[in-house]
Amino acid sequence: KAGALILEITETVMMEGDEYLIDQLRELKASGIKLAIDDFGTGYSSLFYLNRFPVDYLKIDRSFVDELGEKPEARKLVGGIIDLASSLDLRVIAEGIEIIEQLEELKELGCEIGQGYHFTHPLPARDIPPLL
C-alpha cells in the first residue's frame, strides 16, 4: 500500500531541485506516498522551500537530538522546528534517539515519531515482524 511508504529526500537534494523534481514529487504524493525532508536544518535550509515542495514530514537530524539535555539551546531549536512543522501541517520525525531522556524530552516538545538505537539496532528483515 503506497500510503505506508515514506520516501526520504535529503534537504540538500530538495533545495537544488527544479520544477521537474517538484512535479515528480507531486506525482509520488498523489499516488499516496508520503514525503519527508531528511536531515532538516543541516543543509541549505530555506523556509521558502517548505511551501514549495509537497512534503508531509520533517526529519530532525540526530545532531540536534544528541544535544538535548546537554544544551538549553538545543531544546529551543528542536522545539522551534516542531512548532514550525506543526504550523505548516507537517509531522516531525526525530532521528538518532539513543536514550530515554531524549525520547521524553522530544515527547514533551510534541514530537510523535522517532527512530534510533533506543528502540532497536538495525535488524535483518526476518526479525522485524515480531516487533510489529
Side-chain angles (χ1 to χ4, degrees), residues 4 6-7 12 21 47 55 58 67 69 72 83 87 89 95 98 102 112-113 117-118 122 124 127:
I6 300 174
L7 176 65
T12 305
L21 174 62
L47 301 181
V55 297
L58 292 182
E67 295 182 339
D83 290 345
S87 71
D89 294 322
E95 60 184 13
E98 295 189 1
Q102 292 168 331
E112 301 173 343
I113 306 170
Y117 290 161
H118 170 72
D127 293 345

Side-chain angles (χ1 to χ4, degrees), residues 37 50 55-58 82 84-92:
I37 298 178
L50 290 179
V55 297
D56 303 286
Y57 296 87
L58 292 182
I82 293 168
L84 172 66
S86 177
S87 71
L88 295 172
D89 294 322
L90 301 174
R91 296 187 73 191
V92 175

Side-chain angles (χ1 to χ4, degrees), residues 60 82 92-94 97 103 106-114:
I60 299 174
I82 293 168
V92 175
I93 302 170
I97 301 170
L103 177 62
L106 287 160
K107 283 181 177 180
E108 286 174 17
L109 292 169
C111 183
E112 301 173 343
I113 306 170

Side-chain angles (χ1 to χ4, degrees), residues 4-118:
L5 180 64
I6 300 174
L7 176 65
E8 296 179 6
I9 303 156
T10 62
E11 182 181 15
T12 305
V13 168
M14 292 190 80
M15 299 317 133
E16 294 172 357
D18 56 12
E19 289 303 316
Y20 177 76
L21 174 62
I22 295 170
D23 290 341
Q24 295 300 305
L25 293 174
R26 285 188 180 124
E27 284 185 35
L28 289 169
K29 186 167 177 161
S31 72
I33 295 171
K34 305 290 186 212
L35 302 172
I37 298 178
D38 192 23
D39 301 331
F40 183 76
T42 62
Y44 306 106
S45 297
S46 173
L47 301 181
F48 169 76
Y49 290 105
L50 290 179
N51 281 328
R52 187 166 181 228
F53 289 93
V55 297
D56 303 286
Y57 296 87
L58 292 182
K59 285 189 73 180
I60 299 174
D61 187 71
R62 72 172 297 126
S63 61
F64 299 117
V65 174
D66 283 345
E67 295 182 339
L68 286 175
E70 296 175 14
K71 297 182 179 178
E73 306 84 35
R75 181 180 175 88
K76 291 177 186 176
L77 187 57
V78 170
I81 293 170
I82 293 168
D83 290 345
L84 172 66
S86 177
S87 71
L88 295 172
D89 294 322
L90 301 174
R91 296 187 73 191
V92 175
I93 302 170
E95 60 184 13
I97 301 170
E98 295 189 1
I99 57 175
I100 189 71
E101 291 81 8
Q102 292 168 331
L103 177 62
E104 290 172 352
E105 194 159 358
L106 287 160
K107 283 181 177 180
E108 286 174 17
L109 292 169
C111 183
E112 301 173 343
I113 306 170
Q115 64 186 58
Y117 290 161
H118 170 72

